[in-house]
Amino acid sequence: MGSTTSCCVCVSPKLRRNAHSRLESFHQESDLSREETGGNLQHISDRENVDELNLDYNPSDHPRVSTIFLSKSQNHVHEKRKSLFINNNGSLRRKYSSCSTIFLDDNTVSQPNLKYIIKCVALAIYYHIKNRDTDRRMLLDIFDEKLHPLSKSEVPSDYNQHDPEQRQIYRFVRTLFSSAQLTSECAIVTLVYLERLMTYAEIDICPGNWKRIVLGAILLASKVWDDQAVWNVDYCQILKDITVEDMNELERQFLELLQFNINVPSSVYAKYYFDLRSLSESNNLSFPLEPLSRDKAQKLEAISRLCDDKYKDVRKTGRKRSASVDNLCGIRWVPAILS
């Protein structure tokens, strides 16, 4: 337990440095007397969990850390907003709700719109490729399209030099989702696995590996999220030139790079959904808003009433009731017989 060569050692060198610096500061303050330290009680800021020290490195595991794609899109979004403002002569039209009219889109966190989410995910992947980190261009063999091509057509020599367009990424993702009949929630989980791979394996998405990384993330997300998962052989029917052995190896190495961490908490899922909405609004990808009709309002009211009744039942079952003296009339007191 007290040995420095314990098995409980952090994998990330960045995390090890942060933890070491925290321990050093703690040892320096331990020389003070008990009166000065208040009975050797740690401050609340020092009583942090080990997972909280890793917030900056695993945004796909913690709901409080901003997503990578949203931070990478900030610079481009500012320039795009400026050009859009100039092209519209300084006036941007946007619908706002009022007391008489409420505008809504057909997209919620519980039931995302499939076409809308695929467009947003494709845009997030586009920003990953466009604003990738040039200092760490690690191209793993399993994701290299030169070594593992998805088609029999010859791969050009400069396949890793030209960034794909957003439409090309959207067509690739849409083809997989429409052919495999995947759900919109699976697209959000795909983006979570994609950023988790970037964080754990310390790789970037580039023009030479983005297709196989996206394919591996979709393959894994469909098996984890959907009840009726698509088999690897089914993807071979979509991508005619790929083999089952290649799909199996892609899935195996993808899991190993994720350290078999396929858990997606509901808070992380909601964070990615709302960050995708923010990304779409800043890039003018939002679905057109429609006025709230009477029929849709009645449906929303019925759903809200149903959820309210459900939570009331849960609160009743979880509430602990204590008996009062007035309800103990049926209990007879029997004196103990002393020996």
Side-chain angles (χ1 to χ4, degrees):
M1 295 294 293
S3 176
T4 58
T5 59
S6 175
C7 61
C8 301
V9 180
C10 299
V11 178
S12 176
K14 298 181 181 178
L15 180 60
R16 189 183 300 115
R17 287 196 296 268
N18 293 340
H20 182 65
S21 61
R22 185 177 295 274
L23 290 175
E24 287 180 352
S25 60
F26 177 76
H27 288 309
Q28 292 175 0
E29 297 176 357
S30 62
D31 296 332
L32 299 177
S33 61
R34 178 180 295 270
E35 290 78 14
E36 294 177 351
T37 57
N40 287 340
L41 291 178
Q42 285 182 294
H43 192 266
I44 189 172
S45 61
D46 296 330
R47 283 177 279 168
E48 297 177 350
N49 297 327
V50 178
D51 293 339
E52 293 181 358
L53 299 177
N54 208 13
L55 288 176
D56 296 336
Y57 310 111
N58 294 328
S60 61
D61 294 333
H62 302 275
R64 291 180 295 173
V65 182
S66 178
T67 53
I68 303 176
F69 70 87
L70 192 62
S71 60
K72 287 188 175 182
S73 63
Q74 297 300 326
N75 297 331
H76 184 71
V77 166
H78 179 71
E79 298 176 358
K80 195 169 185 178
R81 283 180 176 178
K82 184 178 180 180
S83 61
L84 183 64
F85 184 81
I86 295 175
N87 294 332
N88 288 274
N89 296 325
S91 61
L92 294 178
R93 296 182 178 179
R94 185 176 180 180
K95 295 181 180 179
Y96 293 94
S97 300
S98 62
C99 298
S100 58
T101 306
I102 299 177
F103 292 98
L104 295 176
D105 57 1
D106 188 17
N107 188 55
T108 60
V109 66
S110 58
Q111 294 180 348
N113 185 281
L114 180 59
K115 184 178 180 181
Y116 172 88
I117 289 298
I118 291 180
K119 282 186 176 181
C120 295
V121 171
L123 182 61
I125 297 173
Y126 169 77
Y127 279 122
H128 273 301
I129 301 174
K130 180 179 178 61
N131 300 324
R132 59 186 179 275
D133 190 0
T134 56
D135 295 335
R136 55 169 194 175
R137 289 186 177 180
M138 178 182 291
L139 191 61
L140 299 179
D141 293 343
I142 190 61
F143 301 127
D144 194 347
E145 296 181 20
K146 187 72 172 180
L147 301 177
H148 303 276
L150 298 179
S151 61
K152 293 183 178 179
S153 59
E154 184 179 358
V155 180
S157 58
D158 57 346
Y159 71 104
N160 197 26
Q161 302 297 327
H162 302 287
D163 295 343
E165 297 181 356
Q166 179 185 346
R167 295 179 180 178
Q168 181 181 356
I169 301 174
Y170 171 71
R171 286 195 298 265
F172 180 78
V173 178
R174 183 191 61 184
T175 301
L176 292 177
F177 270 78
S178 60
S179 301
Q181 298 181 356
L182 302 178
T183 60
S184 55
E185 296 85 357
C186 184
I188 301 178
V189 179
T190 297
L191 187 59
V192 175
Y193 288 159
L194 190 144
E195 293 202 345
R196 187 172 295 175
L197 176 72
M198 296 176 56
T199 306
Y200 284 17
E202 296 184 354
I203 62 175
D204 283 324
I205 306 179
C206 61
N209 63 3
W210 71 270
K211 286 185 178 180
R212 292 186 60 85
I213 289 180
V214 172
L215 176 61
I218 293 176
L219 170 65
L220 192 59
S222 63
K223 292 187 176 182
V224 173
W225 185 264
D226 292 340
D227 295 332
Q228 296 180 352
V230 182
W231 291 12
N232 293 359
V233 67
D234 296 329
Y235 287 98
C236 298
Q237 301 297 327
I238 303 174
L239 304 172
K240 302 294 184 179
D241 300 329
I242 197 171
T243 61
V244 182
E245 292 77 14
D246 188 15
M247 292 295 299
N248 295 339
E249 185 65 18
L250 177 64
E251 180 184 6
R252 185 185 67 82
Q253 293 199 27
F254 204 105
L255 280 171
E256 290 181 354
L257 292 173
L258 289 184
Q259 301 175 14
F260 297 93
N261 181 15
I262 57 176
N263 180 38
V264 179
S266 57
S267 55
V268 173
Y269 173 88
K271 177 188 70 173
Y272 272 79
Y273 167 79
F274 287 109
D275 282 357
L276 285 173
R277 285 190 68 101
S278 301
L279 180 68
S280 65
E281 291 176 359
S282 58
N283 288 269
N284 298 320
L285 282 182
S286 300
F287 272 15
L289 300 176
E290 298 179 357
L292 181 63
S293 60
R294 183 183 298 272
D295 295 337
K296 194 170 184 179
Q298 292 176 354
K299 291 181 180 179
L300 291 176
E301 186 178 0
I303 294 175
S304 177
R305 189 181 298 110
L306 181 63
C307 295
D308 191 21
D309 296 339
K310 180 180 178 180
Y311 288 130
K312 282 183 179 179
D313 297 337
V314 172
R315 287 195 295 266
K316 287 181 180 179
T317 56
R319 184 183 302 171
K320 294 183 179 179
R321 302 183 62 88
S322 58
S324 61
V325 181
D326 298 336
N327 297 329
L328 298 179
C329 58
I331 301 177
R332 181 179 297 178
W333 177 75
V334 179
I337 300 175
L338 301 177
S339 57

